[in-house]
Amino acid sequence: MSTIEQLNEVSAVKFRTEHDTMGDVQVPADKYWGAQTERSRNNFKIGPKASMPQEIIYAFANLKKAAAYANAELGVLSVEKRDLIALVCDEVLAGKLDDQFPLVIWQTGSGTHSNMNLNEVISNRVNVMQGKKIGEGKPFIHPNDDANKSQSSNDTFPTAMHIAAYKMLTDVTIPGVEKLRDALKAKAVEFKAVVKIGRTHMMDATPLTLGQEISGYVSQLDHGLKALRNTMDHLAELALGGSAVGTGMNTPKGYDVKVAGYIAKFTGLPLRTAENKFEALSAHDAIVESHGALKQIAVSLMMIANNIRLLASGPRTGIGELHLPENEPGSSIMPGKVNPTQNEAVTMVAAQVMGNDVAISVAGSNGQFQLNVMKPVMAVNYLQSAQLIGDACISFSDHCATGIKPNYEGIKNHLENSLMLVTALNPHIGYENAAKISKLALKENKSLREAAVELKLLTTEQFDEWVKPEEMIGTLK
């Protein structure tokens, strides 16, 4: 398409006039959003591809539908309006209106614009359902008085944050981490008898089995999952019903409990109303706490992925104790080179999550008085971390962990050449004599056996009897 054709296409876009408390504004005629959405769209042109996460929009649809049901049950909204609001919310949840939510993350810190985006889309969509044109006449569902009844942006956005976060953990993060843990657990069992040399300070240490080494990774992920699940009880608390500052002003009695009940019903998640709405609006400690558990898992993943790629380094000039699946060519210039790409992807994900944790911590600390005004940046960073960890764990499990194999020759060579096997002699000849053997062997490039006999500290038979790597691995399974 030529520049002239593009200009003609842009000029062909038709607009309608929408009105809000600040006056008139021109809105694309074919869009369901209204004046407040359009003002935000024009005033916050910040960042490429910085749209509000779809998970937040869908969480809003669930809470708007739940609010309509709670309001109708409590007698402050007609059943007819309830059903129409719910119908539009169902369309949102089905993905039929995805192009009606154009706002970016970098907007008001309360998320007011995204809340109004939902309200305006609901109002105008109902207009069309009733045979009118978008924006024609007085709306049957008023965006503020009906779609937003018993709500404030201050309690809807944190509610959407918690719904989206809880769902992401349930659907993506936890299943992904569990899959990787289980894959590594199977390898720990498979390699439980493969004796290898240990390393501390990046230097040779006493032996252990490959299974024991991998079992440590399994335990890390188990503890990470436990920490994450422990935070989800706080995350299950919803702010809705707190209204503007936590007092519940303009909400009917019992609304907070009922609306949380409907949200739980519609989402299938064990969500409930927050005990203290003042905390729920002004502080987002549940998000901070829960993301801290995601950071813990990221720290574990960084260590696990790096250790596995170091053990596989080589294939001839590195440690070379593991064979990893060969997934893609590793170089555009070096023929035959294969790299540990899955490990690299996981470490990048871990770095991103650690960075996200800094942003969330800073944002969480900025709850001034009755409201935190960094909600959108907390939401987007949390959801990105939860998504990345779940996806990365599945990718690493499928394309790396399940295909790990020991390099038995490399393991044997390192084990037999390690000077730290001398540790087995401590109980028989003492630490200082054992150290003399190790130092001589290193200095003169001899085996430990040769050095021990040369120093006349023990016989060949005694060395073979006392230095048995397979008996130095302890009793841990």
Side-chain angles (χ1 to χ4, degrees), residues 156-292:
T156 57
F157 201 93
T159 298
M161 288 167 63
H162 281 218
I163 295 170
Y166 203 107
K167 183 172 175 57
M168 184 68 79
L169 295 182
T170 302
D171 294 351
V172 178
T173 314
I174 291 175
V177 178
E178 286 179 336
K179 182 171 186 177
L180 178 56
R181 178 206 58 194
D182 292 345
L184 291 173
K185 189 174 183 179
K187 292 297 175 182
V189 173
E190 182 181 351
F191 304 147
K192 65 181 180 180
V194 180
V195 182
K196 65 181 292 285
I197 199 64
R199 296 175 180 86
T200 60
H201 301 269
M202 296 293 285
M203 307 296 283
D204 296 352
T206 54
L208 76 168
T209 72
L210 182 56
Q212 288 174 327
E213 188 168 37
I214 294 176
S215 76
Y217 309 153
V218 175
S219 183
Q220 282 183 277
L221 295 179
D222 267 333
H223 282 102
L225 284 167
K226 182 179 180 181
L228 185 59
R229 289 191 177 100
N230 285 343
T231 68
M232 291 176 71
D233 184 64
H234 196 184
L235 200 62
E237 294 189 353
L238 304 180
L240 205 56
S243 192
V245 297
T247 61
M249 182 180 175
N250 289 348
T251 64
K253 185 177 181 180
Y255 166 80
D256 59 343
V257 174
K258 285 192 179 296
V259 75
Y262 277 115
I263 291 173
K265 178 182 177 180
F266 297 152
T267 62
L269 301 173
L271 306 172
R272 64 185 188 279
T273 192
E275 293 182 11
N276 189 301
K277 305 298 191 299
F278 304 103
E279 178 207 7
L281 270 62
S282 66
H284 294 312
D285 294 347
I287 293 290
V288 175
E289 175 190 16
S290 188
H291 195 273

Side-chain angles (χ1 to χ4, degrees), residues 130-141:
Q130 293 182 326
K132 302 176 184 178
K133 294 181 180 180
I134 301 176
E136 180 186 355
K138 185 178 180 181
F140 182 68
I141 300 294

Side-chain angles (χ1 to χ4, degrees), residues 389-407:
I389 286 176
D391 289 351
C393 283
I394 289 177
S395 182
F396 190 70
S397 176
D398 289 346
H399 301 294
C400 183
T402 55
I404 291 173
K405 296 179 181 178
N407 178 2

Side-chain angles (χ1 to χ4, degrees), residues 310-383:
L310 284 171
L311 290 173
S313 61
R316 292 188 174 180
T317 60
I319 294 175
E321 291 186 351
L322 295 180
H323 291 305
L324 302 185
E326 298 184 352
N327 296 319
E328 320 93 11
S331 172
S332 61
I333 189 173
M334 293 176 280
K337 195 173 192 299
V338 179
N339 297 327
T341 52
Q342 288 293 320
N343 305 64
E344 293 161 4
V346 168
T347 56
M348 287 190 286
V349 164
Q352 182 66 56
V353 173
M354 293 177 201
N356 288 350
D357 195 67
V358 174
I360 286 175
S361 298
V362 172
S365 67
N366 275 275
Q368 287 87 27
F369 303 116
Q370 277 65 62
L371 187 68
N372 179 292
V373 289
M374 289 195 178
K375 300 180 194 297
V377 73
M378 296 186 78
V380 70
N381 278 277
Y382 189 102
L383 292 172

Side-chain angles (χ1 to χ4, degrees), residues 385-456:
S385 293
Q387 178 86 53
L388 286 176
I389 286 176
D391 289 351
C393 283
I394 289 177
S395 182
F396 190 70
S397 176
D398 289 346
H399 301 294
C400 183
T402 55
I404 291 173
K405 296 179 181 178
N407 178 2
Y408 291 102
E409 183 179 355
I411 288 173
K412 180 182 178 183
N413 289 338
H414 288 315
L415 182 64
E416 291 179 349
N417 289 328
S418 173
L419 299 177
M420 290 305 100
L421 296 181
V422 78
T423 307
L425 297 176
N426 286 1
H428 304 285
I429 62 174
Y431 179 93
E432 292 187 5
N433 283 330
K436 291 177 182 178
I437 294 173
S438 176
K439 290 178 181 295
L440 179 63
L442 178 62
K443 181 179 179 181
E444 299 187 5
N445 195 27
K446 298 177 182 291
S447 70
L448 289 174
R449 182 186 292 102
E450 290 171 336
V453 173
E454 182 177 326
L455 290 170
K456 298 180 180 181

